């Protein structure tokens, strides 16, 4: 099982990772406020989009370079690692300068030239599953990056399109142990995009951990109703705090269960 070091943070090791932040970086104050809040509650990585792949060209498209400057400032102030999405080859160098981890979003999972180009960098990558990709297609997309020599790939299950209408996507938790086993790469679950509903982000985050995810990624905003993107699936600060309490409790339980499992295995091997 590969682990990926980003700064002092190890992803895919014993410690479960929390990635939190707004869907879109909307301004300096908004991002700093969120960064301080999620850091105080125990998040490890700050997320936030500066280049947004919006379904409608009429929707907010992100702050672009200005958003990257805010992200860097928030990282410097809080010490958080950062992740942000890269959509185009042209943006790659600039984004690489300002963020620690490159996100390839669901819409670009099939963008093989982008994957290959990222594969020629040494930047860690959070590769999200396309909403229309099979597990096999998802893993093959990751191999486009790996094959070029970049092995710092983290996979993210973020839901797929099904006939179900009560959720924005169907979060495919069965994919989690499968992709972990087949790839040996760290796996993150995104219950925000995976459900589209802030009221069920918490249970699906916990379910993701139980399914074996190495971490969770959620969207957080001080006032989700006013968020410029994805407000319906975004946690406000009290909800994020509640989720972090449950996250920490579950992590303790999972660590204990893991210790018991490995001491059973050792006893078995000795007898
Ligand atoms: C996001 O993380 O904000 C995002 C756009 O996600 P996805 O690519 O999974 O839709
Ligand atoms: Mn979003």
């Amino acid at each position: 099982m590969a682990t990926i070091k980003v700064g002092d943070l190890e992803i895919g090791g014993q410690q479960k990772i929390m990635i939190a932040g707004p869907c879109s970086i909307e301004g300096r104050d908004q991002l700093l406020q969120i960064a301080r809040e999620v850091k105080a509650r125990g998040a490890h990585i700050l997320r936030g989009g500066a280049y947004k792949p919006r379904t409608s060209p009429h929707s907010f498209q992100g702050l672009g370079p200005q958003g990257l400057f805010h992200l860097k400032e928030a990282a410097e102030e809080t010490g958080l690692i950062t992740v942000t999405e890269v959509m185009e080859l042209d943006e790659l160098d600039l984004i690489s300068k300002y963020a620690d981890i490159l996100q390839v979003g669901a819409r670009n999972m099939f963008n093989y030239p982008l994957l290959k180009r990222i594969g020629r960098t040494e930047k860690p990558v959070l590769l999200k599953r396309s909403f229309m990709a099979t597990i096999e297609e998802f893993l093959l997309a990751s191999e486009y990056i790996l094959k070029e020599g970049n092995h710092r790939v983290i996979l993210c299950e973020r839901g797929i399109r099904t006939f179900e209408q009560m959720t924005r996507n169907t979060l495919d938790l069965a994919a989690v142990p499968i992709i972990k086993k087949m790839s040996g790469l760290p796996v993150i679950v995104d219950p925000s995009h995976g459900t589209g509903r802030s009221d069920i982000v918490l249970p699906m985050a916990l379910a993701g951990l139980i399914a074996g995810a190495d971490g969770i990624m959620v969207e957080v905003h001080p006032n989700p109703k006013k968020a410029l993107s994805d407000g319906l699936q975004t946690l406000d600060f009290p909800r994020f705090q509640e989720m972090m309490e449950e996250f920490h409790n579950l992590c303790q339980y999972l660590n204990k269960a893991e210790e018991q499992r490995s001491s059973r295995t050792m006893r078995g091997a000795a007898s």
Side-chain angles (χ1 to χ4, degrees):
M1 186 54 215
T3 64
I4 294 173
K5 283 271 279 193
V6 189
D8 291 335
L9 186 67
E10 189 180 48
I11 305 171
Q14 201 195 351
Q15 186 186 33
K16 305 283 187 190
I17 303 303
M18 176 57 69
I19 307 174
C23 178
S24 298
I25 299 168
E26 298 172 3
R28 180 175 181 270
D29 293 347
Q30 175 244 25
L31 190 66
L32 280 175
Q33 188 191 4
I34 296 171
R36 289 178 192 135
E37 179 71 23
V38 301
K39 167 81 182 184
R41 305 286 168 220
H44 307 91
I45 300 178
L46 176 65
R47 62 148 288 143
Y51 299 87
K52 294 303 300 177
R54 304 306 301 283
T55 301
S56 164
H58 311 296
S59 305
F60 176 62
Q61 301 288 309
L63 295 180
Q66 195 60 48
L68 297 177
F69 306 153
H70 298 324
L71 192 63
K72 183 85 179 166
E73 187 184 347
E76 276 165 4
E77 194 199 292
T78 57
L80 287 164
I81 303 284
T82 56
V83 59
T84 197
E85 177 160 358
V86 45
M87 293 202 297
E88 288 187 50
L89 292 169
D90 287 353
E91 298 155 357
L92 183 58
D93 290 339
L94 188 70
I95 295 175
S96 299
K97 264 197 219 137
Y98 284 91
D100 300 305
I101 304 175
L102 305 171
Q103 176 170 318
V104 175
R107 290 159 190 79
N108 266 315
M109 189 213 83
F110 286 110
N111 184 342
Y112 301 134
L114 182 65
L115 299 179
K116 282 201 263 188
R117 176 73 178 76
I118 289 174
R120 282 183 236 120
T121 73
E122 290 179 357
K123 283 298 241 192
V125 194
L126 182 73
L127 176 65
K128 299 189 87 174
R129 180 181 182 180
S130 162
F131 35 76
M132 40 185 248
T134 63
I135 291 174
E136 190 181 16
E137 287 165 334
F138 185 26
L139 292 175
L140 287 170
S142 75
E143 288 177 28
Y144 267 97
I145 304 170
L146 299 167
K147 188 163 179 270
E148 296 295 324
N150 186 350
H151 292 143
R152 304 173 81 195
V153 180
I154 304 154
L155 301 174
C156 179
E157 164 58 42
R158 50 77 74 212
I160 50 175
R161 200 168 263 180
T162 67
F163 53 78
E164 184 49 62
Q165 304 287 306
M166 290 285 179
T167 47
R168 179 178 178 187
N169 291 287
T170 295
L171 187 63
D172 183 8
L173 288 181
V176 174
I178 296 176
I179 58 182
K180 261 192 83 139
K181 196 157 118 187
M182 291 184 73
S183 71
L185 297 170
V187 176
I188 299 289
V189 165
D190 172 355
S192 299
H193 295 88
T195 64
R197 297 175 48 153
S198 59
D199 62 330
I200 59 167
V201 163
L202 190 157
M204 298 316 286
L206 301 181
L209 290 185
I210 292 174
D214 298 292
I216 299 297
M217 174 152 92
V218 292
E219 290 180 333
V220 179
H221 192 285
N223 188 351
K225 282 204 179 80
K226 292 253 167 77
L228 295 181
S229 56
D230 286 353
L232 288 175
Q233 66 198 32
T234 295
L235 303 176
D236 59 14
F237 292 163
R239 268 203 159 133
F240 179 68
Q241 180 177 352
E242 182 193 4
M243 195 199 60
M244 286 309 284
E245 282 164 18
E246 302 228 17
F247 175 85
H248 290 308
N249 288 343
L250 182 57
C251 287
Q252 272 182 2
Y253 167 82
L254 290 172
N255 281 338
K256 232 183 259 156
E258 180 58 34
E259 274 166 32
Q260 284 171 357
R261 202 174 304 131
S262 54
S263 75
R264 253 199 321 272
T265 318
M266 274 169 23
R267 275 202 309 275
S271 64

